[in-house]
Amino acid sequence: SAVISQKPSRDICQRGTSLTIQCQVDSQVTMMFWYRQQPGQSLTLIATANQGSEATYESGFVIDKFPISRPNLTFSTLTVSNMSPEDSSIYLCSVDPGTGTYEQYFGPGTRLTVT
Amino acid sequence: QKEVEQNSGPLSVPEGAIASLNCTYSDRGSQSFFWYRQYSGKSPELIMSIYSNGDKEDGRFTAQLNKASQYVSLLIRDSQPSDSATYLCAVNRGSGNTPLVFGKGTRLSVIA
């Protein structure tokens, strides 16, 4: 598995502002993913972030709202832009360490509250 | 979006009993299947992966896969109060390294 950290662990933000969430992995990985987990719900994939290419967004998620950077094989950021209370959620990054098992491991998550 | 379905629960079992968690999926092309455990306020933790029909055992956990029926299950033997959590079934979208689709999870409560 991989050791994954996220910053910040939680934040309270005002509507209309933006927040950038960082995801750091202790080893080089090709595949990183960003998920959202709304209160009481399961995980919804926002986008897949591969180093060296543009992120691939899922239906319902757009780059203008959730821009993603992947500057190297150990780091990625997700920005939640022009936030509204509906963006209140837990945001999780996950990685596939590339062992051929297709297992994904999750970071501790960022709990975002938008007021 | 391909679907993964689970009973939301709560599933309550007495301590020491076997807990049985079930999951069905709609994409016949799926090749990889995973069970995650999520404690309240924590992120999902991978506990089992299975790729072939049949059973796979790891300690008190047994994953079962039936691709013909598009059915995955997780058995927890000798259930402990510390097993109380939400269990998420996840399926890849097809063959190879593809994103996972998660079920809504089953909340398990083990009663001491």
Side-chain angles (χ1 to χ4, degrees):
Chain A
S1 65
V3 177
I4 308 163
S5 60
Q6 284 186 237
K7 290 182 181 179
S9 58
R10 59 177 63 226
D11 207 340
I12 301 173
C13 302
Q14 292 189 344
R15 69 173 67 210
T17 63
S18 298
L19 176 72
T20 295
I21 301 167
Q22 300 178 7
C23 180
Q24 179 77 51
V25 190
D26 69 340
S27 58
Q28 294 185 338
V29 297
T30 302
M31 305 285 288
M32 293 183 77
F33 306 90
W34 286 98
Y35 289 85
R36 181 173 73 182
Q37 187 172 31
Q38 295 181 304
Q41 302 297 313
S42 189
L43 283 76
T44 301
L45 181 67
I46 297 171
T48 301
N50 292 339
Q51 195 271 337
S53 63
E54 295 290 323
T56 302
Y57 289 83
E58 297 299 301
S59 176
F61 297 97
V62 295
I63 188 171
D64 290 346
K65 175 68 174 177
F66 298 100
I68 287 171
S69 76
R70 183 77 202 275
N72 57 51
L73 291 172
T74 64
F75 187 77
S76 179
T77 67
L78 169 75
T79 298
V80 186
S81 303
N82 188 24
M83 288 183 286
S84 66
E86 292 71 34
D87 295 319
S88 297
S89 187
I90 298 172
Y91 292 86
L92 297 142
C93 69
S94 74
V95 305
D96 178 339
T99 59
T101 63
Y102 312 125
E103 294 173 346
Q104 288 186 27
Y105 297 90
F106 284 84
T110 295
R111 182 179 296 271
L112 171 62
T113 302
V114 184
T115 61
Chain B
Q1 179 85 8
K2 304 301 182 183
E3 289 190 347
V4 177
E5 297 192 1
Q6 299 179 251
N7 289 327
S8 61
L11 173 65
S12 294
V13 300
E15 183 175 0
I18 296 174
S20 178
L21 305 164
N22 305 317
C23 171
T24 59
Y25 60 95
S26 62
D27 185 359
R28 285 195 170 273
S30 298
Q31 299 292 322
S32 307
F33 307 87
F34 308 93
W35 284 99
Y36 287 81
R37 177 176 62 197
Q38 187 173 26
Y39 292 113
S40 180
K42 301 295 186 181
S43 64
E45 172 192 9
L46 179 67
I47 55 172
M48 289 290 286
S49 56
I50 187 167
Y51 308 93
S52 303
N53 283 329
D55 295 359
K56 179 182 178 182
E57 186 175 320
D58 184 359
R60 294 187 296 112
F61 299 101
T62 299
Q64 299 175 317
L65 173 61
N66 184 325
K67 291 185 179 180
S69 300
Q70 297 175 243
Y71 178 87
V72 192
S73 66
L74 178 71
L75 301 178
I76 306 175
R77 290 182 301 280
D78 188 23
S79 295
Q80 301 297 310
S82 59
D83 295 324
S84 297
T86 296
Y87 289 80
L88 301 167
C89 174
V91 177
N92 81 335
R93 289 180 175 172
S95 60
N97 197 342
T98 57
L100 299 180
V101 179
F102 283 82
K104 294 185 183 299
T106 298
R107 188 156 58 91
L108 173 66
S109 178
V110 180
I111 310 300

